[in-house]
Amino acid sequence: MRHDFDQQVDRRGSDCKKYEAASYPADVIPMWIADTDFAVPAEIAAAIRERAEHPCYGYPVESFAFEESAARWEEVRFGWEIDPHWVKYANGVLPFLMYAVRAFSHPGDHIVIQPPIYPPFPAIIQNNGRKVVENPLRQDAEGRYQIDFEDLEKKLADPKAKLLFLCNPHNPAMRCYTLEELTRIGELCLRHNVIVMSDEIHCDLTYQGYRHIPFGSIRQDFADNCIVMINPSKTFNIAGFRTGAAIIPNQRLRDEIQSTIVSNKNYGRTIFGMISFITAYTQCDYYADQLMDYLQGNRDLLMDALKTRIPRIKMTVPEATYLMWLDCRELGMDQPELKRFFFEKAKLGLNDGVTFGQGGLGHMRMNIACPRATLEQALDRLERAVNAL
């Protein structure tokens, strides 16, 4: 099978959040929220159509094919052999983070995050009465984000620290953490009795020369102290089905989080979520491979444009994700001015960097998961806008 990633899909008028929730005018290119502008694999579309033809959409049976497909994906793609019984259905990564907060901590306890970070992470913590504790990533001389391990241990050593929200690959820092980095994280969390919640939703999206390592695959004691969350939504553009999975090797952690799920009455699966999840993880390997080949081209196009045509905007080499973290500080604008510049002058709808924390000042996040022609148009606009300053 070959997928045409150059295909232009008109998403306006399809209740698409990316194009319609922000009320962007027609002359602004939306490049913000983390879904792609690519059509889903033909297999997923066919499976959805086939099921939709049946006129009844009642409660579905909880087929074990769901758990088996998640286990297959981890083994085939990343070499992690897991027991399908470790897999739990999740209606998204974020709800499962909330279950973990309620299951493994109490109001007033500390939960550690590593900003700049995906904005719902601190929101979930605060909305559940826990304290956000930041272990900010630090940039080296090349601009690459690094973990401040001395500070991390200090934050984890506090007896009130109960959970670490790990984002790997990291959004928006574009990092794919190494085995050495993940091992140091795992050892520190074990030493201080802190459970690792590893959000690996971008696991398929690593560029040439980098390899995603599931946190639970490293060592058995790490596996027993973590919950790994996966979701095919970013890779296969099926976020609207709100279906992911949590891999929990430790029986005690599985039982405790199940009690929280039941007490919040958030059990039950969706028909089309299960169909799309199972189909993606059993029939669509080719699509994931071709997607990364295509995104590699988009990434390299962006890097070259910034280096040769728009040098006042910087970006460290992206290791993973299609969410590019642009350092715009050389433009000399405050954050409101920067947002207006991209929207009004460049006619691009990007994510405001400051929403990812104070480390995002002077930054914007750009989604390059679009046909190359769209990215080329966006870069032409950005070049003209910068040159006009």
Side-chain angles (χ1 to χ4, degrees):
M1 292 288 294
R2 295 293 302 177
H3 188 86
D4 182 10
F5 290 97
D6 285 318
Q7 178 190 6
Q8 294 279 351
V9 179
D10 185 2
R11 302 186 67 188
R12 295 183 188 272
S14 65
D15 296 324
C16 171
K17 185 173 184 178
K18 187 174 188 177
Y19 283 76
E20 297 173 27
S23 300
Y24 287 141
D27 63 345
V28 172
I29 302 175
M31 306 181 79
W32 62 291
I33 197 169
D35 67 12
T36 81
D37 285 333
F38 305 129
V40 302
E43 293 83 356
I44 292 178
I48 294 297
R49 282 195 300 269
E50 181 180 357
R51 177 61 184 86
E53 288 176 356
H54 192 287
C56 296
Y57 308 110
Y59 295 117
V61 66
E62 297 189 355
S63 167
F64 197 59
F66 176 88
E67 289 84 350
E68 292 175 328
S69 67
R72 175 204 174 270
W73 193 255
E74 289 299 307
E75 180 176 2
V76 170
R77 305 297 292 190
F78 309 112
W80 186 21
E81 294 185 24
I82 68 172
D83 184 337
H85 292 92
W86 298 350
V87 178
K88 295 196 72 65
Y89 174 90
N91 54 344
V93 166
L94 296 178
F96 225 87
L97 288 173
M98 180 271 291
Y99 303 152
V101 167
R102 296 185 180 185
F104 306 122
S105 69
H106 296 93
D109 282 341
H110 296 182
I111 297 175
V112 181
I113 61 172
Q114 297 173 305
I117 196 64
Y118 180 49
F121 275 25
I124 287 171
I125 297 167
Q126 293 167 335
N127 291 343
N128 283 277
R130 277 64 168 174
K131 181 179 178 181
V132 174
V133 174
E134 295 188 351
N135 166 232
L137 299 180
R138 305 298 185 192
Q139 288 182 281
D140 61 19
E142 286 73 43
R144 186 171 183 253
Y145 283 91
Q146 306 281 2
I147 298 169
D148 183 342
F149 281 101
E150 182 179 350
D151 179 72
L152 177 60
E153 179 157 26
K154 188 181 303 181
K155 303 297 172 57
L156 296 175
D158 190 308
K160 283 186 170 291
K162 303 301 179 183
L163 295 165
L164 168 68
F165 282 6
L166 175 66
C167 187
N168 182 41
H170 192 282
N171 168 26
M174 310 178 298
R175 281 297 318 280
C176 180
Y177 288 132
T178 65
L179 177 61
E180 179 184 9
E181 289 172 312
L182 294 172
T183 299
R184 290 185 71 181
I185 291 170
E187 289 175 343
L188 288 175
C189 287
L190 283 175
R191 184 180 307 160
H192 299 293
N193 299 308
V194 174
I195 297 170
V196 178
M197 299 296 298
S198 187
D199 172 6
E200 302 184 8
I201 197 170
H202 299 281
C203 60
D204 302 317
L205 307 172
T206 56
Y207 294 107
Q208 293 171 12
Y210 302 95
R211 179 174 66 94
H212 172 70
I213 303 170
F215 183 81
S217 71
I218 299 170
R219 288 178 8 193
Q220 185 59 50
D221 52 355
F222 290 4
D224 287 336
N225 191 50
C226 78
I227 294 175
V228 172
M229 293 159 291
I230 61 172
N231 194 322
S233 62
K234 305 305 180 193
T235 307
F236 301 101
N237 202 16
I238 52 176
F241 290 123
R242 302 287 184 180
T243 299
I247 303 168
I248 315 174
N250 186 312
Q251 179 71 56
R252 179 183 63 82
L253 298 186
R254 284 201 305 278
D255 291 344
E256 290 185 21
I257 209 159
Q258 180 62 26
S259 295
T260 301
I261 292 170
V262 171
S263 67
N264 283 276
K265 295 182 171 58
N266 213 353
Y267 40 79
R269 306 181 181 188
T270 69
I271 296 171
F272 296 111
M274 282 199 300
I275 289 172
S276 61
F277 184 103
I278 294 167
T279 305
Y281 280 170
T282 58
Q283 300 181 38
C284 300
D285 299 57
Y286 76 93
Y287 183 100
D289 293 337
Q290 293 170 28
L291 171 68
M292 284 316 300
D293 288 342
Y294 196 86
L295 290 176
Q296 182 83 37
N298 278 5
R299 185 203 76 157
D300 294 347
L301 175 66
L302 173 61
M303 289 175 61
D304 181 70
L306 296 181
K307 183 178 180 180
T308 62
R309 297 161 51 193
I310 321 170
R312 294 172 68 184
I313 296 179
K314 311 295 184 186
M315 183 180 70
T316 188
V317 177
E319 301 171 3
T321 85
Y322 48 67
L323 305 168
M324 304 289 101
W325 192 234
L326 306 182
D327 182 346
C328 308
R329 287 174 289 184
E330 284 192 16
L331 298 182
M333 302 178 186
D334 63 25
Q335 204 66 21
E337 289 175 318
L338 187 61
K339 290 167 58 181
R340 287 195 300 272
F341 169 76
F342 272 90
F343 185 77
E344 297 176 4
K345 303 299 183 182
K347 297 292 184 181
L348 302 176
L350 275 59
N351 283 101
D352 178 3
V354 79
T355 62
F356 298 84
Q358 287 303 302
L361 282 171
H363 292 73
M364 299 291 283
R365 193 187 74 169
M366 171 186 276
N367 182 344
I368 62 166
C370 58
R372 192 149 301 143
T374 302
L375 179 58
E376 289 170 345
Q377 182 183 13
L379 293 174
D380 288 343
R381 291 183 179 193
L382 184 56
E383 180 183 13
R384 288 195 298 270
V386 171
N387 287 343
L389 290 173

